[in-house]
Amino acid sequence: MTFGRDSGPTILVVEDDDEARRALQRDLLARGYRVEEAADGATALARWDARRPDAILLDLGLPDMDGAAVIRHVRRESLTPILVISAREAEAVKVEALELGADDYVTKPFGTAELQARLRALLRRAAGPASDAAGRVRAGPLVLDATRHEVTVAGNPVDLTPREFEVLRVLLAHAGRLVTRGRLLRTVWGAAYQGEDHYVHVFVSQVRRKLAAHDPEGLLGDLIVTEPGVGYRVRAAEPSAET
Ligand code: CA
């Protein structure tokens, strides 16, 4: 069943806990979204097929099927943003969901503000790549020029190796979203490096060190945030008022 007005992004809320689902629905409707709801996996897939929502909020613990099965089904057909809602104790399940192609997660119990911010970031990101027409991506004083393969901080060039450049490029391309170590490995090094997570750790450390060396005033702050046990997240780009 569809709730909400005629316009606005449609969010499919998949959650078997009636109270939690209704609370999510209320929050989303209050912010102008349209809402489709499903209390089990089969209904979620039927709603997905019928409505093609703009984003999916997915509780992983469903009565009739694993939430991972929903992710697999959706990812065979589309890159529609999937925000996973996971229980605190389900670390391995959460990582599996991200590896299957979920875009981000919130852990129960989560605040409305956090959920809404994550959802907005996913929808913004889905609207188009973070780069400008010239292929430049900005994060405050940092500019990554994908066409010239150049990175500058406040105009000073940063000397990155090709792999370090790729690591930074992938993280910036997903600004505001979580990138698992597995996804970074597959994207930057290729499938043959599956499980070699220490490469990611070493290269991210090098990128951080080189950026910091060109940022004596600390303008970048904590640009690349570690999500322990999962991966990394670059802060979502904001209007660069500080430069
Ligand atoms: Ca559940």
Side-chain angles (χ1 to χ4, degrees):
M1 174 160 196
T2 311
F3 300 88
R5 348 174 158 164
D6 294 337
S7 61
T10 302
I11 313 298
L12 173 59
V13 177
V14 187
E15 165 64 84
D16 57 316
D17 182 318
D18 290 342
E19 203 176 310
R21 193 179 62 252
R22 277 196 288 267
L24 284 168
Q25 185 184 312
R26 260 195 316 274
D27 276 350
L28 292 166
L29 289 175
R31 283 165 176 79
Y33 294 106
R34 312 183 76 210
V35 178
E36 292 275 335
E37 55 166 19
D40 56 59
T43 308
L45 294 181
R47 298 281 84 196
W48 160 253
D49 285 334
R51 296 286 179 175
R52 286 295 189 258
D54 297 293
I56 301 173
L57 296 188
L58 176 65
D59 174 32
L60 290 176
L62 298 173
D64 59 335
M65 68 175 76
D66 195 336
V70 175
I71 298 171
R72 274 195 209 92
H73 180 101
V74 170
R75 277 292 168 268
R76 274 200 296 272
E77 302 173 346
S78 161
L79 292 172
T80 299
I82 301 175
L83 179 58
V84 157
I85 301 167
S86 88
R88 190 164 295 284
E89 63 274 14
E91 183 83 3
V93 178
K94 181 171 76 188
V95 173
E96 187 204 0
L98 292 163
E99 295 283 312
L100 284 172
D103 296 282
D104 206 346
Y105 69 89
V106 288
T107 305
K108 292 179 185 177
F110 50 84
T112 298
E114 182 190 7
L115 178 96
Q116 296 292 342
R118 295 278 163 84
L119 182 60
R120 270 198 308 275
L122 292 185
L123 288 168
R124 242 196 334 262
R125 171 69 196 147
S131 56
D132 65 17
R136 282 184 299 258
V137 185
R138 292 166 200 279
L142 182 145
V143 179
L144 181 143
D145 187 326
T147 48
R148 298 170 69 182
H149 240 254
E150 257 177 26
V151 173
T152 56
V153 175
N156 302 313
V158 182
D159 187 22
L160 298 179
T161 67
R163 284 252 211 256
E164 290 164 358
F165 182 90
E166 275 304 295
V167 166
L168 184 59
R169 192 187 61 75
V170 171
L171 290 174
L172 283 169
H174 294 80
R177 296 198 298 173
L178 194 139
V179 180
T180 64
R181 288 185 300 228
R183 205 191 284 192
L184 258 182
L185 263 178
R186 274 197 307 279
T187 310
V188 177
W189 281 266
Y193 284 79
Q194 190 70 34
E196 308 277 354
D197 286 13
H198 57 281
Y199 280 101
V200 175
H201 176 76
V202 167
F203 276 76
V204 169
S205 300
Q206 283 172 359
V207 170
R208 276 183 177 140
R209 188 171 48 73
K210 288 187 177 180
L211 292 180
H214 291 79
D215 180 30
E217 292 172 60
L219 297 172
L220 286 173
D222 196 7
L223 179 74
I224 305 173
V225 179
T226 301
E227 293 275 349
V230 181
Y232 305 92
R233 179 198 306 276
V234 159
R235 284 194 327 253
E238 283 157 30
S240 49
E242 69 269 48
T243 52

